[in-house]
Amino acid sequence: MSFSSRVKDELSRQFSPARHCQIAEIAAIISMCGRLKYEKETGISLKIHTENVAVARKYFTLLKKTFNIDTDVAIRRNVYLKKSRTYVITIQNESDVVNVVKAVKLMDESGTLPGNHVMVSNMIIANSCCKRAFIRGAFLAAGSISDPEKFYHYEIVCSSQEKAEQIKQVIYSFHIDAKIVVRKKYFVVYIKEGSQIVDILNVMEAPKALMELENVRILKEMRNSVNRQVNCETANINKTVSAAVKQIEDIKYISDTMGLGNLPENLEEIARVRLDNPEAPLKELGTYLQNPVGKSGVNHRLRKLSKIAEELRGNKEEKL
């Protein structure tokens, strides 16, 4: 089971005790994946589609708990994709459909039934608890979340820009900065920041998924921290080794051209100490001197040797 499916499975078992929150969640579900259909023989029916069995169970239970109405559940299989199943929850009784649509305020005052791209009334999501239920319903109906082991991505796919803007604003009321992108004919509300995805899981009341994601984030941060430290240490070692190799080359060149005995006493001493200890760091080299000096003192003398070697090389080129 994917991480997204596990999140939806957990949310499908989360029921708000307050009826107004249940109505807010149903309103989001109907707005995102509900379809009103009119037939001469049976009248108006309301169909809600999902490909997730846990989500279908949630729809069925929510409608039963909130309105005490009977619904039909059908399973459709895509003939081209053998593993693809669609669960359809249908309210057949026209009076039940009208009661549901009125309760979720998707019907206007004149009694006109809404189209399939209707917005959820802000009256339904006035309370903070109802906003949580609304986001949960929208995510169950049209959302997904990536495996945090790979990357961080949370999204809800909307059929219209107005719906996307509404969901974005409701999410923003919890101080979470969602964005909208157009993907083909859809408008996608998405969050990419790991910490904000943790926050939205908390808003939707999915504590198990939240802890799982937090554990992955902690491990990732630890790995990244260790990698940065290793890379930093490796770079420092490479830098130290390269500097030591250059210092030894300069000292050997001086020895071959003018001889180390012709150097000032302090430079001759550090030159011989470096040749005897090619892998030692500067601080350690300073302790080997007759009159020990610190790291900066050793570095100063080695720079002088490097300058002398460069001058000797320059003089040789001029003679040539």
Side-chain angles (χ1 to χ4, degrees), residues 129-147:
C129 56
C130 294
K131 286 183 172 70
R132 290 175 181 271
F134 171 81
I135 295 171
R136 182 166 60 244
F139 178 78
L140 282 169
S144 65
I145 185 169
S146 65
D147 184 346

Side-chain angles (χ1 to χ4, degrees), residues 37-51:
K37 189 175 182 181
Y38 177 78
E39 294 178 356
K40 288 183 179 180
E41 296 80 8
T42 57
I44 298 168
S45 63
L46 175 61
K47 295 179 183 288
I48 302 172
H49 299 73
T50 178
E51 295 180 356

Side-chain angles (χ1 to χ4, degrees), residues 162-229:
E162 292 75 20
K163 285 184 184 181
E165 290 289 350
Q166 183 180 41
I167 291 172
K168 178 184 174 182
Q169 290 304 315
V170 175
I171 290 174
Y172 186 72
S173 70
F174 293 97
H175 308 289
I176 300 171
D177 188 20
K179 293 180 172 59
I180 298 173
V181 66
V182 179
R183 186 188 298 158
K184 295 183 179 178
K185 61 179 181 178
Y186 297 102
F187 296 83
V188 182
V189 182
Y190 71 93
I191 304 169
K192 281 192 172 292
E193 177 104 18
S195 61
Q196 295 209 325
I197 293 176
V198 169
D199 292 340
I200 198 69
L201 288 173
N202 183 47
V203 167
M204 295 191 301
E205 299 176 291
K208 290 181 181 178
L210 186 155
M211 290 304 298
E212 184 178 347
L213 194 149
E214 277 286 52
N215 288 336
V216 171
R217 286 183 68 228
I218 290 168
L219 288 173
K220 273 187 173 182
E221 287 176 7
M222 286 179 63
R223 282 198 296 263
N224 290 338
S225 178
V226 169
N227 288 337
R228 283 193 297 269
Q229 189 172 351

Side-chain angles (χ1 to χ4, degrees), residues 73-77 85-88:
V73 181
I75 302 173
R76 295 177 181 173
R77 185 186 294 273
R85 290 182 178 181
T86 300
Y87 300 88
V88 184

Side-chain angles (χ1 to χ4, degrees), residues 17-286:
R19 189 172 188 272
H20 52 83
C21 292
Q22 294 171 6
I23 288 174
E25 190 165 352
I26 291 171
I29 290 167
I30 294 174
S31 175
M32 300 302 290
C33 64
R35 296 290 183 273
L36 287 165
K37 189 175 182 181
Y38 177 78
E39 294 178 356
K40 288 183 179 180
E41 296 80 8
T42 57
I44 298 168
S45 63
L46 175 61
K47 295 179 183 288
I48 302 172
H49 299 73
T50 178
E51 295 180 356
N52 188 308
V53 64
V55 177
R57 184 177 61 242
K58 176 69 176 284
Y59 295 171
F60 179 88
T61 308
L62 260 180
L63 289 167
K64 186 68 176 176
K65 274 178 171 286
T66 313
F67 298 102
N68 193 29
I69 57 176
D70 294 322
T71 56
D72 296 328
V73 181
I75 302 173
R76 295 177 181 173
R77 185 186 294 273
N78 190 316
V79 295
Y80 299 105
L81 302 171
K82 293 182 180 179
K83 293 183 180 180
S84 178
R85 290 182 178 181
T86 300
Y87 300 88
V88 184
I89 295 87
T90 306
I91 304 174
Q92 295 282 10
N93 186 289
E94 185 170 333
S95 62
D96 287 339
V97 173
V98 172
N99 287 338
V100 171
V101 175
K102 277 185 177 180
V104 298
K105 298 195 184 306
L106 294 178
M107 178 183 282
D108 60 28
E109 294 179 357
S110 66
T112 304
L113 285 166
N116 288 327
H117 296 285
V118 70
M119 296 269 291
V120 172
S121 169
N122 288 326
M123 293 175 62
I124 293 290
I125 50 176
N127 300 326
S128 179
C129 56
C130 294
K131 286 183 172 70
R132 290 175 181 271
F134 171 81
I135 295 171
R136 182 166 60 244
F139 178 78
L140 282 169
S144 65
I145 185 169
S146 65
D147 184 346
E149 289 280 3
K150 298 175 181 176
F151 56 92
Y152 302 127
H153 185 83
Y154 168 101
E155 71 175 35
I156 298 174
V157 180
C158 305
S159 59
S160 70
Q161 186 173 358
E162 292 75 20
K163 285 184 184 181
E165 290 289 350
Q166 183 180 41
I167 291 172
K168 178 184 174 182
Q169 290 304 315
V170 175
I171 290 174
Y172 186 72
S173 70
F174 293 97
H175 308 289
I176 300 171
D177 188 20
K179 293 180 172 59
I180 298 173
V181 66
V182 179
R183 186 188 298 158
K184 295 183 179 178
K185 61 179 181 178
Y186 297 102
F187 296 83
V188 182
V189 182
Y190 71 93
I191 304 169
K192 281 192 172 292
E193 177 104 18
S195 61
Q196 295 209 325
I197 293 176
V198 169
D199 292 340
I200 198 69
L201 288 173
N202 183 47
V203 167
M204 295 191 301
E205 299 176 291
K208 290 181 181 178
L210 186 155
M211 290 304 298
E212 184 178 347
L213 194 149
E214 277 286 52
N215 288 336
V216 171
R217 286 183 68 228
I218 290 168
L219 288 173
K220 273 187 173 182
E221 287 176 7
M222 286 179 63
R223 282 198 296 263
N224 290 338
S225 178
V226 169
N227 288 337
R228 283 193 297 269
Q229 189 172 351
V230 168
N231 290 338
C232 184
E233 288 178 358
T234 301
N236 287 337
I237 290 170
N238 289 337
K239 186 178 178 181
T240 301
V241 170
S242 298
V245 169
K246 178 67 166 58
Q247 290 159 7
I248 291 169
E249 287 178 355
D250 290 340
I251 291 168
K252 286 181 176 179
Y253 188 79
I254 293 170
S255 178
D256 293 340
T257 52
M258 63 177 284
L260 297 181
N262 293 318
L263 291 169
E265 185 178 343
N266 63 337
L267 296 184
E268 180 185 358
E269 184 183 17
I270 194 64
R272 295 189 186 282
V273 167
R274 170 47 94 192
L275 289 175
D276 292 339
N277 303 277
E279 296 179 0
L282 299 186
K283 189 174 181 179
E284 185 180 331
L285 287 178

